[in-house]
Amino acid sequence: EIRLSLVGSEMCIRDRRNHTLNKRYKTLLKNARNNLKKSNSAEELRVLQKAARKAAHKGVIHSNKASRIVSRAMARVNRDVA
């Protein structure tokens, strides 16, 4: 029986693509978090929220982790405003 699956160089290509996507989204999240720490503005919160949801949608992070990131960021902004 012949299995239809990725082998050899095909696997390397997929892994390389996944690695670059993961790196891109994690960098996006890190930059959004750092910008939010510098200035607790609603715009920076929106950028972080978008980055977290996009990373979760692409499968880089779990959706629960994305929700937790956004929740903690909102709590930080609300605490600093109050």
Side-chain angles (χ1 to χ4, degrees):
E1 177 177 305
I2 299 174
R3 298 185 75 184
L4 298 175
S5 62
L6 295 177
V7 292
S9 64
E10 295 170 346
M11 192 123 190
C12 293
I13 292 168
R14 184 183 65 184
D15 289 345
R16 195 174 328 127
R17 181 177 177 275
N18 286 344
H19 178 73
T20 55
L21 281 177
N22 288 352
K23 190 171 178 116
R24 181 185 312 159
Y25 286 114
K26 286 187 178 183
T27 302
L28 187 67
L29 269 175
K30 184 176 76 171
N31 291 341
R33 277 188 195 150
N34 290 337
N35 291 340
L36 186 65
K37 285 180 184 177
K38 290 177 187 173
S39 66
N40 284 332
S41 66
E43 178 63 25
E44 294 299 335
L45 180 64
R46 190 185 67 75
V47 170
L48 176 69
Q49 186 175 18
K50 185 176 179 181
R53 292 213 171 128
K54 196 170 204 179
H57 179 72
K58 297 290 185 178
V60 175
I61 61 173
H62 196 274
S63 60
N64 289 353
K65 183 172 182 175
S67 296
R68 186 172 61 244
I69 288 169
V70 171
S71 177
R72 288 178 181 170
M74 284 184 161
R76 177 190 302 260
V77 169
N78 288 336
R79 182 180 62 229
D80 290 344
V81 169

